[in-house]
Amino acid sequence: MTHEEAGALRAGVAAACRQLADAGLLVGTAGNVSARSGDLVAVTGTGVVLAGCTAEDVTVVSTTGDVVEGRLAPTSELALHLGVYDDHPAAQVGAVVHTHAPFATAVACVLDELPVLHYQQLALGGAVRVAPYATFGTDDLAGHVRAALAGRSAALLANHGSVTVGATLEKAVENALLLEWLCQLHHRASALGTPRVLTVEQQADVVRVAIERDYGTTREVR
């Protein structure tokens, strides 16, 4: 990766942080974002106020965690990010977003799994698992999250927050926003009564129709 390419990757991570902070998913220094290109990963530095994150606040590391470029030590959750990348091919996971978003964190303090109330959740792979609690920045936490992400694009962290992944940085951010909306939906539905969960058959039917209609893609009028 050239210096210019690294700079663009760092700038992209910084812009994603500001977008997530504007949406209320990142508050203060809580949370971290990364994106990878080849054998390098650009990740937010430790202690950065994410609403004002700039490219200079993002550090480039190798897949073994060695700093390649940047003035700040990487986030304390670096092992989580690198572990997730190690579990997935680059074409599948090119970015990781970890937030302490309010509704996602609230759900993670109560549920063992976020059930599928709305068909849009299927874009994340189905019911979202809640990884068991472990102290932040530890290998235990990283391992729990990696297991919870198996076959999913999102996981909740018990009494902590959320993690989403995507093939691109834009997709990982989109998934984080979707997860927060789904957690808010569950919160509101639960206040009205017992939420009605989509059955396995209903979920399968959604997948079938989405494939048939190429749901979610822009196409010209024919």
Side-chain angles (χ1 to χ4, degrees):
M1 183 189 297
T2 67
H3 178 72
E4 290 73 20
E5 290 170 335
L9 195 64
R10 294 170 77 186
V13 169
C17 289
R18 296 192 301 272
Q19 179 185 352
L20 289 163
D22 286 345
L25 274 66
L26 296 176
V27 179
T29 64
N32 30 82
V33 176
S34 72
R36 71 169 161 181
S37 178
D39 293 330
L40 297 178
V41 174
V43 63
T44 45
T46 187
V48 173
V49 177
L50 298 164
C53 187
T54 68
E56 290 298 311
D57 298 321
V58 179
T59 300
V60 179
V61 301
S62 68
T63 53
T64 57
D66 297 317
V67 174
V68 174
E69 187 172 324
R71 62 184 178 83
L72 297 179
T75 172
S76 59
E77 299 292 5
L78 180 62
L80 187 159
H81 289 257
L82 296 182
V84 171
Y85 290 131
D86 192 50
D87 289 341
H88 301 87
Q92 182 180 353
V93 174
V96 178
V97 169
H98 168 46
T99 82
H100 296 178
F103 284 97
T105 304
V107 167
C109 289
V110 177
L111 300 183
D112 294 323
E113 179 181 82
L114 178 67
V116 179
L117 304 189
H118 194 283
Y119 65 84
Q120 279 189 276
Q121 188 165 330
L122 297 178
L124 301 178
V128 177
R129 306 181 187 101
V130 179
Y133 180 80
T135 304
F136 74 91
T138 62
D139 289 339
D140 283 344
L141 177 63
H144 292 331
V145 173
R146 292 167 71 177
L149 279 172
R152 300 287 187 271
S153 296
L156 294 166
L157 288 60
N159 301 82
H160 185 155
S162 68
V163 168
T164 58
V165 300
T168 64
L169 188 55
E170 292 76 13
K171 188 61 178 179
V173 169
E174 178 184 322
N175 287 341
L177 295 169
L178 174 58
L179 178 60
E180 180 68 355
W181 179 81
L182 291 165
C183 289
Q184 185 176 32
L185 173 66
H186 189 281
H187 171 79
R188 288 176 168 173
S190 297
L192 296 173
T194 301
R196 185 169 51 246
V197 177
L198 293 182
T199 66
V200 172
E201 292 76 14
Q202 289 169 331
Q203 294 179 46
D205 198 45
V206 168
V207 173
R208 178 184 60 79
V209 172
I211 293 172
E212 289 176 355
R213 301 184 181 182
D214 203 16
Y215 180 78
T217 60
T218 301
R219 54 189 180 276
E220 300 289 334
V221 175
R222 295 177 182 175

